[in-house]
Amino acid sequence: MLEETFRKGFIVPELPDVEVYKHQLEANGLRKVIDHIELRNADRMLGDTDAEVLRGRLAGHSLTGTARHGKYLFARIGGNAWLMLHFGMTGYFTYGNDGEADPRHNVLVLFYKDRSHLAFNCRRKLGAIALVENPEEFIRKKRLGPDAASLSESGFSELLKEHGGTLKGFLMNQESLAGLGNVYSDEILFQAGIHPRTRLDSLGDSERKAVYRAMQKVMRLAVEAEAEPERMPRTFLTPLRNRRNAECPFCGGPPKRISASGRHAWYCPCRQPEPR
DNA sequence: CTCCATGTTTAGAA
DNA sequence: CTTCTAAACATGGA
């Protein structure tokens, strides 16, 4: 069996990507005994977690379940211990049999007794690896907002009313809403037909509802496309980012790029008019 | 060689 | 208090 790489190239993991990683972990990494693990150049990603303690908690044990909050993935080790992974800007999994291709920048490899292995590849090492006792407490300590995929429409509307600033900033701030980053916040606003610099206090009920519906739609379709831009619907803006001669799927014109909330926001004026 | 992409943390300004 | 901006981190690609 060939090495199976689930992600290649330059992809920035956000909620839909991490949801896909969660499915990969569930399909390939659970209920098999880990023989040993390898940590490579992972010191700065481990934070307070002691490498030897992590080694001891994983070797000889199995992962028994998964959880996700925002961009954080948790794998249950058993008892009161979870392995927490954050994919930063360049993280992804590979899975294969021992002795096969071993990509550079693997920071954590779980070698199973059945001679397969699951590797966490993190080229820029801006992600994180940790041993966590209680995911809920971890989420509280990080001050993360509610998971974007777990909110009801009314819960989302209330959340919008509790915060200020711009829509783009709200969607990207993990403390207001957990899971979305630069790429998907743009996609949601493009699908909703609302300008990224729209202020929260100027939104009406119908606009709050439109953002919620677009958020649900974008996340569902992105996961269905396994978070690969080229497999997303033709009406998505995401595959056109940073592409030369890109044409808006609705008007044929070139999408625009502006600075918003410290990032480059892509949008199209044909359906996202300047606010006020 | 420089600049850029991105998430998160931290610092500081308004 | 909130909101916004910018730098730092790592590293390959343009």
Side-chain angles (χ1 to χ4, degrees), chain A residues 60-80:
Chain A
H61 296 85
S62 298
L63 302 178
T64 58
T66 63
R68 182 192 57 71
H69 189 98
K71 303 173 190 172
Y72 294 81
L73 179 62
F74 302 89
R76 183 164 209 159
I77 303 171
N80 282 329

Side-chain angles (χ1 to χ4, degrees), chain A residues 212-223:
Chain A
Y212 179 78
R213 297 245 162 112
M215 181 172 81
Q216 298 286 98
K217 181 180 89 169
V218 166
M219 289 190 297
R220 179 174 57 80
L221 293 173
V223 171

